[in-house]
Amino acid sequence: MLPIIEREVVNKKKWMQEDEIGELISLAGSAPGGVGVNAAAMIGHRQAGIAGAVSAVMGVTCPTFLIVILISVFAILFRNQPKVEAALKGMNGGIIALISMAAYRTARYSILDTTTAIAAIVTVAVLLFAGIHPLYLIITGLICGMAVIRIKKRLGLQVKMEKKSVTGSYPELEYYI
């Protein structure tokens, strides 16, 4: 879904620059809910206020909602078929690949330097092994990020707040989350 949104917003409609959409996707990923829905709401709000946000969310969620209903009906009708069960289990690997691709794209825009790379690694480790609620981790990351920037400025170190354009530096892969 995100590449489609990006293609429409950046290439066709020219509502945003590529670096802006990258930041928006990173922000949408940090908010609760689906990244695509959050990104659509933010883009819709930016273009037409509350009505734009509501329209964008409806446009993104309604087709998915109808597809899920359709799949659910077929799953109920054919759930005892071994081939259907095997196909559903096979989708698990595909879903892991799609989530990994979304994480890769988010990291591409979010990891700016050694500090942010270390923060990303520590965050993943804490999420996997400590069982802390992600909201507490986001709040802690916010506070730590502000502290690190303040310390770096006092020490006279370079503070990177944005990444230079990454266009063309990585192959563009399609994924649909």
Side-chain angles (χ1 to χ4, degrees), residues 90-167:
M91 286 183 202
N92 290 338
I95 291 169
I96 290 170
L98 290 172
I99 292 171
S100 298
M101 191 63 208
Y104 165 76
R105 285 185 64 106
T106 301
R108 202 174 120 196
Y109 289 107
S110 303
I111 296 177
L112 305 173
D113 54 12
T114 306
T115 305
T116 53
I118 290 170
I121 292 168
V122 169
T123 302
V124 169
V126 168
L127 280 173
L128 290 175
F129 303 115
I132 295 175
H133 192 279
L135 179 62
Y136 299 127
L137 209 50
I138 290 170
I139 293 169
T140 304
L142 176 70
I143 294 168
C144 289
M146 290 187 313
V148 166
I149 287 172
R150 189 167 279 190
I151 291 169
K152 278 184 163 183
K153 283 183 178 178
R154 283 191 181 176
L155 294 175
L157 299 173
Q158 181 183 11
V159 178
K160 290 178 85 175
M161 300 296 283
E162 291 185 22
K163 194 169 200 169
K164 291 182 180 173
S165 179
V166 292
T167 304

Side-chain angles (χ1 to χ4, degrees), residues 61-80:
T61 56
C62 283
T64 306
F65 180 70
L66 295 175
I67 290 169
V68 168
I69 288 176
L70 189 66
I71 289 174
S72 298
V73 169
F74 282 108
I76 290 170
L77 293 175
F78 301 109
R79 68 178 165 205
N80 295 327

